[in-house]
Every structure is written in C-alpha cells, then in structure tokens.
Amino acid sequence: MSASPDRAGIPGDPPGGGRAVAVWSIGVAVYFVAVIFRTSLGVAGLDAADRFHVGASALATFSLLQLLVYAGMQIPVGLMVDRLGTKKVLTLGAVLFTVGQLGFALSPSYGMALAARALLGCGDAMTFISVLRLGTRWFPARRGPLMAQLAGLVGMAGNLVSTLVLAPVLHGVGWTAAFAGSAVAGLVVLVPLVLFLRDHPEGYGPKAVPKPAPGGTATAGSGGASGGFVRRQIRESWAEPGTRLGLWVHFTTQFPAMVFLLLWGMPFLVEAQGLSRATAGGLLTLVVASNMALGLVYGQVVGRRQSARIPLALGTVGLTAVLWAAVLVYPGDRAPMWLLVSLCLVLGTCGPASMIGFDFARPANPAERQGTASGITNMGGFIASMTTLLTVGVLLDATGDNYRIAFSTVFVLEAVGVISILRLRPRALAREADRVRVTIPAQEQEQEQEPEPVPRACPLPETAGREAP
C-alpha cells in the first residue's frame, strides 16, 4: 500500500524485497570502493614516505587531513542528501573519490598528493550517509539496524581488500600502476550507479522540500530560501534528543578502534610491544575480522530488541576500557600475546557499536531530515578520532614515546562520552516512546477509515437455497 499523503510527510513502510536489495547493493558497492581508497594509504605508508621524501609527522598529515575533511563534510552532505536526493550525491562522491585516487597515483609532489587525498576524503564523505539513506528509503523500519550493520560490514571488507590485495599489488607493480589501476574500480561502480540506482520505490518518496518564492522571498510555510532551509534542517535535527544521543554514542564507541587501525596501532605493537611488523599486521587484521563477525550479531540484536541499544553501547565502551587498562598497566615492558589478542577482538566491537548511534537518530527524525541527522551523528566518532590522534602524538613527543601515558587519552574521551550518553538517555527514550504512542494509533485510525464491504440486504440467488432459515 502506498504512503498516505497526510502523515506529516512520513511515507509508509517501504516493502523491501529483491528490487530493494539490488538498488541498495549498488550504493553499498560504491561505499565499498570508497573504503578501499580511504584505507589504501594504510598499506602504503612507507612507500609514500620514500616517494614524497617526508617524515612521520608529514605522513600522518595525510590521515589527519582526510579525517578532517570527512568529518567537516558530514552535515553539508546530510543537507545535500535531504535536498538533492541520494543518487546525485552518491554520483558526485564517486566522481570525486575516483579523481582523488587517480590524482594520488600521479602526484609528483607532497603538496599535490595532499590535495588529492583531501579530494578523496570529500568524495568518501558522501558515500556512507547516502547508503544509510538508501536503507531507510527501500527497507522496512525494522530492518534499519541490520541494513546499517551490513553497510558497515561491507566497509570493513573494503579495508581487508586494501590489506590483502592492494599491498602485494603495490609491491609488485609499483606506486603509479597500483593506485591508477585501483582507480578503475571507481569507474566500474559509477556505471550501474548512474543507470540503475533510484532514490526510493515509487510512492514512497519523502515530503517535497519547499521552494523559495521568486526573488528569494519564502512562500508560506517554506521556512525561507536556501539558507533558511539549511538552518532549519540543522536546528530541528539538533533539537531532537535522539540525534544528540546518536552523536555521543558514535563519539564514544567508534574512536578506539579507528585510532588503532588508522595510525597508532602499528607503532604501538612494534615499538612498545616488540612485535614484528608481520605479527602486528596480523593483529590489525584481527580487529577487522572481529568487526565483520560481530556486525551482524549487533544488527540482529538491536533489530529485535530496541531496549538493548544502550546496554550494548555502554557494555562495549566498558569492555574496551577494561582491556586497554589491562594492556597498559600490565607489569613489565610488554603485555602477553593472549592479552593483545583479546584487546584486538574487543576493538572489533567498536565499529558495530558505533552504528547504534544511527538507531537513535533515525526514529527521532522524519524522512526529510534523515540525511542531516545521520550527518550530525556520523561526526561524533570522527571528531573523537581526530582529537585522540592528535593528543596521542603530542603526548608521545612530550613523554619520550611513553605509550601508557599517551593512550590514557582513550579513557578521558570515553568518560566524557558516557556522561553525555547517560545525561541524554532519559529524554531521548521518552521522546521516542511518545512518538511510537502517537504513530501506532494514527496507523490504526487509517486502517479503520478504509471502506468496509457493503452488507448484502439479501442473499444472492445462487446461494439463496443454502441460507439458514
């Protein structure tokens, strides 16, 4: 049944099905390639240092700039998705990250390579929110947590491809051929994206965004011109406690694993724990594998029991803090291998737990604000990651590479996040419960208003002989 036009612009539950899977798969394929490009520098750090003749701090700038661009683009991208639709934003993102990857392959200097990574980060920032939007527009709401976790799972698979495929190719054919060749993947996913992707099933589109009147004067109820639309979207999304709770859940859960995988895990395992590069690389891969294995579990649990969201998020934060503390305070210079393996397995839960943040923002906002709300939520983990990346580096320099002091930053940010989650939780859950109480009776009323079969005044001739006296 198509959406009712008088339900505050919120369409009916999409039907899902095979076509939904096909369309969503196109969007996820774009995200998959974006993650390969995003993480490709992780396996090429030493090669990049030799190619551009830079030291460790300049090399770290690649990752920091990419995160900065990604985080800074989240709200603008969310607004673009709400205003322009998923297909246009995802297409622009695919073009930008493909050009960025190709530019990185051909850059003759550090400055040009830095610009190429910034362009790549800009395109990458447009993919995940778009994929989340596809999931909410093509699948029933009860499938939302699972579809979000599946998208994250595909992203981690892209990380594995960088590690297991791009690394040997890079060492076999060289810098330019490896990165330019990988850029072809961007063109491959761009073709079905342009030809076949649709923003939503027919009859299930979000409420149309009001247009400003000629001359910039807003029509009645339009909320103003383009600037008014932007301000209204951000203001109304931020006003929802569920959006803010989603941001803090994402902030608190995501960053420990991201910091470990993106920059400081390898130096910590090699320099502080005395492991070989091969062994350290195996532990980093274990984090990714754990993430992929647990993503589906988290998605199924949250999809079936919404009450499990807060316990799962806080449990992940608590377990991460306990394992980090055990590793950092372990007597002696090095932690045993079983403890490092346990840490990496637990870090793998951070990604799935961070997706719970979107499960608070999603029901708190109507369809026409989903992109903006997702962008605000997605900023949380990347702000925490950038803060930790910089703080750990500063503390390492200040303390003579004392990783125990440097990684204590993790506990500070987790404490800030947990306090914010506990503060926002009552209001967000109460508001969500109120919305459910309002929505269900409205749906029941719609069903009651459907025309009932007209009762027959007398039996039809062919059944008259069988009617009871």
Side-chain angles (χ1 to χ4, degrees), residues 41 48 51-52 54-69 96 99-101 103-122 175:
L41 183 62
R51 179 178 177 84
F52 301 115
V54 295
S57 59
L59 190 62
T61 304
F62 280 124
S63 298
L64 291 173
L65 176 64
Q66 200 168 319
L67 276 182
L68 182 63
V69 171
L96 290 178
V99 173
Q101 185 78 342
F104 194 58
L106 303 176
S107 294
S109 65
Y110 174 73
M112 291 184 66
L114 207 58
R117 294 305 287 186
L119 190 63
L120 192 156
C122 185
W175 178 280

Side-chain angles (χ1 to χ4, degrees), residues 386-423:
M386 286 189 296
T387 302
T388 309
L389 282 169
L390 289 171
T391 306
V392 168
V394 169
L395 290 175
L396 285 174
D397 288 339
T399 60
D401 292 338
N402 189 322
Y403 281 92
R404 291 183 174 179
I405 295 176
F407 274 117
S408 298
T409 308
V410 171
F411 307 118
V412 176
L413 267 69
E414 284 186 331
V416 171
V418 168
I419 291 171
S420 300
I421 290 171
L422 295 177
R423 177 175 56 86

Side-chain angles (χ1 to χ4, degrees), residues 141-150 293-313 316 352-353 355-356 359-360 362:
R142 68 180 185 278
R143 298 293 185 191
L146 180 59
M147 303 316 294
Q149 291 288 355
L150 284 173
L294 293 170
L296 292 178
V297 176
Y298 273 59
Q300 290 283 2
V301 171
V302 173
R304 294 179 181 181
R305 294 191 62 183
Q306 293 285 286
S307 60
R309 290 174 297 177
I310 290 292
L312 269 179
T316 299
M355 303 300 294
I356 297 174
D359 295 317
F360 288 108
R362 187 185 303 112

Side-chain angles (χ1 to χ4, degrees), residues 248-344:
W248 282 109
V249 168
H250 200 267
F251 176 101
T252 314
T253 54
Q254 188 203 45
F255 79 95
M258 176 163 284
V259 168
F260 196 79
L261 287 172
L262 198 61
L263 187 59
W264 293 120
M266 181 69 75
F268 170 74
L269 293 173
V270 173
E271 296 178 2
Q273 299 300 316
L275 303 180
S276 67
R277 285 180 177 269
T279 303
L283 288 175
L284 295 182
T285 303
L286 182 61
V287 177
V288 177
S290 174
N291 185 305
M292 296 178 67
L294 293 170
L296 292 178
V297 176
Y298 273 59
Q300 290 283 2
V301 171
V302 173
R304 294 179 181 181
R305 294 191 62 183
Q306 293 285 286
S307 60
R309 290 174 297 177
I310 290 292
L312 269 179
L314 294 181
T316 299
V317 173
L319 194 57
T320 304
V322 168
L323 265 295
W324 259 123
V327 169
L328 296 179
V329 303
Y330 192 84
D333 295 333
R334 300 171 184 176
M337 179 58 69
W338 66 264
L339 187 53
L340 295 176
V341 169
S342 300
L343 172 65
C344 290

Side-chain angles (χ1 to χ4, degrees), residues 110-204:
Y110 174 73
M112 291 184 66
L114 207 58
R117 294 305 287 186
L119 190 63
L120 192 156
C122 185
D124 179 21
M126 298 181 180
T127 58
F128 187 64
I129 292 178
S130 298
V131 171
L132 288 180
R133 173 78 169 209
L134 280 179
T136 60
R137 297 269 35 91
W138 280 91
F139 293 93
R142 68 180 185 278
R143 298 293 185 191
L146 180 59
M147 303 316 294
Q149 291 288 355
L150 284 173
L153 181 67
V154 172
M156 294 309 293
N159 197 329
L160 276 182
V161 169
S162 290
T163 304
L164 302 178
V165 178
L166 186 59
V169 170
L170 175 65
H171 297 144
V173 302
W175 178 280
T176 301
F179 279 97
S182 66
V184 175
L187 299 177
V188 171
V189 296
L190 192 58
V191 174
L193 168 59
V194 172
L195 294 179
F196 302 114
L197 190 132
R198 298 292 180 268
D199 286 354
H200 50 75
E202 184 178 354
Y204 291 86

